[in-house]
Amino acid sequence: MAVTLRALQTVVPPTILIQEQVRDIFAAQPGLSRLAQRLVSTSFNVSGIETRHTVIAELTLDNDATEAQFFDARQQLLLVPSTKVRNELYITEATKLFVEAGSRALAACPDIRPEDVTHVVTVSCTGFYAPGPDYMLVRELGLKASTQRYHLGFMGCYAAMPALRTAKQFVEADPNAVVLVVSAELCSLHLRTSSDPDTIVASSLFSDGAAAGIVSARAPLPGEKALGLDLFETVITPVGEGDMAWKIGDEGFEMILSTYVPHIIDEHIEGALAPLFARDASITAQLAAPLSEDTSAVGGSVGARVLTLAPPASLSSVIEHWAIHPGGRSILDKTEAKLGLRTDQLNPSRETLRTNGNMSSATILFVMKYILDDAATADGERVCSMAFGPGLTVESGLMTVIEG
């Protein structure tokens, strides 16, 4: 039985942030040291981002709001709202994005009606409320009151992957199950001015967006492209617990995103992928080099056994499409070089980063949609997806393009 991800849809809020303009505003904030000003310019300039989106309508240069909470446009001053103020806006705006993305996914699947949905899985790490987005989707989309609801919260940028894995498990347990998966993140609510390097990097990257899809055992319609969900794997790298983290502060959520993260990924990405590839006979048979065993990579202190790729593995020819979470430009650069991928294989990730920034968990679904929307993507081609998050956790998946 093939379990497929269909009808991938994406949504971004209407307010657009021009990276160069945002850079100049952040660099001009009072209290920044000269070093911090240089870090702002460097971080924004090398981010690989041109535009981002935000739910904060007042984050525009022509805003004339007299009671601004986030940005005083007249003084070009970034304000410091409380966590409560930020979360109240999350409740309003995240609900809109969840519902719109879910509605679009259902509309893109004409053979699935709202009453067919048996499970809802929602994902977000940028706000909290209850009854939450899972409840709102059932109510606003006209789903059955008996729809099973699950919310994956505060997991970070990799959370859409375990959401898809969970949906796949529901369908495998019940072939009649239809699972609506929706991720929405409002990262811009927590951006702030600071001289802290981690905060500066976060301010140069994060943005808002939502994505949704439907997971079921129903075959795609004629002419429709979907992703067969083949395998998933989770790996925690032996270092990095303090290099990527997400905490709640009095003035919003506080992101720790160390500049060392790309180096951690560079050192451990092969070891993170090897357990996934080892479970797929067709891939291991095509690799130019065998898989070797390494007991020291992850969890070695407790005797965990992890497979690592013995170079040189011809991954770019074995797997055609790569959906890599664009946590930042340097992460994509390290991934491309370490795995020996072709430049064009990272285009979906780089284009998503360029036009939308890093939307945390929703981002990887944008990248998958980019691959499916490409006319050159063909039936039967394989897709390897990877997302990185706090821990440092690496979530990976193997998928197959299925055309109805």
Side-chain angles (χ1 to χ4, degrees):
M1 178 182 66
V3 179
T4 60
L5 170 62
R6 301 174 55 195
L8 263 178
Q9 299 294 307
T10 58
V11 181
V12 292
T15 300
I16 300 175
L17 300 177
I18 308 300
Q19 189 75 337
E20 292 180 352
Q21 295 177 353
V22 179
R23 175 201 63 199
D24 294 343
I25 289 171
F26 269 80
Q29 294 306 297
L32 290 184
S33 65
R34 289 186 179 180
L35 175 60
Q37 290 175 337
R38 291 197 295 270
L39 286 175
V40 167
S41 295
T42 300
S43 295
F44 278 75
N45 289 344
V46 303
S47 65
I49 297 171
E50 293 182 5
T51 56
R52 292 183 276 172
H53 296 80
T54 178
V55 297
I56 307 173
E58 64 187 52
L59 286 183
T60 57
L61 294 175
D62 58 355
N63 168 44
D64 58 357
T66 57
E67 298 182 2
Q69 293 180 303
F70 289 84
F71 180 58
D72 184 336
R74 290 172 296 180
Q75 300 185 63
Q76 302 285 285
L77 186 65
L78 291 166
L79 305 179
V80 190
S82 67
T83 300
K84 175 180 173 60
V85 169
R86 298 174 197 260
N87 197 65
E88 287 295 323
L89 187 57
Y90 173 89
I91 294 171
T92 301
E93 298 300 328
T95 299
K96 294 178 184 177
L97 290 180
F98 271 109
V99 171
E100 183 176 354
S103 177
R104 289 188 183 185
L106 285 171
C109 242
D111 59 319
I112 292 179
R113 301 165 298 173
E115 56 266 32
D116 294 331
V117 175
T118 58
H119 301 70
V120 165
V121 180
T122 52
V123 183
S124 190
C125 68
T126 47
F128 296 96
Y129 65 106
D134 51 316
Y135 170 91
M136 299 304 294
L137 285 169
V138 170
R139 192 179 74 173
E140 297 297 324
L141 299 182
L143 309 185
K144 293 179 298 186
S146 59
T147 302
Q148 297 183 36
R149 312 191 321 264
Y150 303 84
H151 180 70
L152 302 184
F154 224 65
M155 296 180 75
C157 294
Y158 65 79
M161 298 294 285
L164 294 178
R165 181 175 60 237
T166 299
K168 172 180 165 66
Q169 291 168 343
F170 289 150
V171 176
E172 289 174 334
D174 177 6
N176 295 315
V178 175
V179 188
L180 175 62
V181 178
V182 189
S183 167
E185 301 286 13
L186 276 57
C187 306
S188 71
L189 294 178
H190 306 290
L191 301 184
R192 71 198 70 207
T193 179
S194 172
S195 292
D196 176 70
D198 289 348
T199 304
I200 290 172
V201 171
S203 297
S204 71
L205 292 173
F206 285 100
S207 56
D208 304 346
I214 296 174
V215 176
S216 74
R218 304 190 186 190
L221 298 176
E224 177 189 3
K225 287 181 185 176
L227 288 174
L229 303 180
D230 302 331
L231 297 168
F232 291 94
E233 193 66 61
T234 301
V235 168
I236 299 175
T237 61
V239 294
E241 182 176 349
D243 291 285
M244 188 182 292
W246 193 225
K247 300 178 181 179
I248 300 176
D250 293 333
E251 298 169 352
F253 298 174
E254 299 170 357
M255 179 66 181
I256 299 172
L257 187 62
S258 166
T259 54
Y260 191 61
V261 168
H263 301 285
I264 297 173
I265 292 173
D266 181 53
E267 292 175 2
H268 298 285
I269 190 170
E270 290 181 307
L273 280 174
L276 179 74
F277 294 160
R279 295 168 55 198
D280 189 291
S282 65
I283 288 180
T284 55
Q286 296 178 72
L287 289 175
L291 290 168
S292 62
E293 190 174 50
D294 177 8
T295 59
S296 64
V298 180
S301 59
V302 294
R305 305 172 74 185
V306 178
L307 293 170
T308 57
L309 286 172
S314 304
L315 296 177
S316 63
S317 58
V318 174
I319 300 173
E320 180 61 29
H321 302 287
W322 292 79
I324 307 298
H325 170 66
R329 179 179 176 180
S330 57
I331 289 176
L332 296 179
D333 291 343
K334 292 288 187 181
T335 300
E336 180 180 326
K338 190 71 173 183
L339 299 181
L341 304 181
R342 302 192 311 270
T343 300
D344 63 286
Q345 289 177 311
L346 269 294
N347 281 348
S349 296
R350 294 191 189 278
E351 281 300 298
T352 298
L353 182 67
R354 183 182 69 83
T355 58
N356 295 290
N358 183 343
M359 300 163 286
S360 190
S361 67
T363 319
I364 194 68
L365 299 176
F366 277 68
V367 178
M368 292 178 189
K369 185 176 189 301
Y370 189 103
I371 291 172
L372 286 178
D373 288 347
D374 188 342
T377 300
D379 181 66
E381 292 180 336
R382 304 301 298 277
V383 179
C384 181
S385 182
M386 295 187 74
F388 319 98
L392 196 153
T393 302
V394 181
E395 290 279 350
S396 59
L398 278 173
M399 306 169 191
T400 302
V401 177
I402 301 176
E403 188 166 1

